[in-house]
Amino acid sequence: LIDVREPAEVALGVIPTAHHIPLAALHDALVSLSDQDFEAQYGFKRFAKDEEAIFYCRSGRRSRLAFAQAQELGYTHVRHYPGSWIEWEARTKTPVSKS
């Protein structure tokens, strides 16, 4: 689960188990960084092109862009969460703060 919101938005809460890569950094993160640099910068191992990854943002718009970028780069098992943070927060009514 990849959160593509901006850091200020992430500070308001995240979906549990999500990792954060801002949309503006996604292309470089997937293309330019070595696996080692990716893990050092983002705190998790880069997902392989054939592994599942689900993108979300605040409303679904940026996650759809992230999904399209990843597909164009050859990632075959990517999806986006259309309702994203707004839907998840409404369903849980208890945002989880990032620790």
Side-chain angles (χ1 to χ4, degrees):
L1 188 59
I2 309 296
D3 184 340
V4 296
R5 296 176 298 161
E6 292 300 313
E9 295 172 287
V10 173
L12 299 174
V14 298
I15 297 176
T17 74
H19 299 288
H20 178 236
I21 305 173
L23 179 61
L26 183 65
H27 185 272
D28 286 343
L30 297 179
V31 173
S32 301
L33 294 179
S34 69
D35 288 343
Q36 196 172 23
D37 289 343
F38 180 96
E39 189 170 358
Q41 185 163 346
Y42 296 107
F44 68 102
K45 291 185 179 189
R46 180 185 0 232
F47 49 95
K49 288 189 174 186
D50 63 348
E51 288 181 315
E52 182 177 50
I54 302 168
F55 297 103
Y56 82 93
C57 60
R58 188 183 73 80
S59 65
R61 186 170 152 224
R62 287 173 286 178
S63 64
R64 191 172 30 253
L65 295 171
F67 164 76
Q69 278 186 30
Q71 276 193 318
E72 288 173 13
L73 293 171
Y75 288 83
T76 57
H77 289 87
V78 291
R79 297 185 296 155
H80 87 100
Y81 177 12
S84 285
W85 175 255
I86 291 173
E87 179 181 288
W88 186 85
E89 184 180 34
R91 286 184 178 188
T92 63
K93 295 188 181 172
T94 53
V96 177
S97 294
K98 186 168 178 111
S99 318

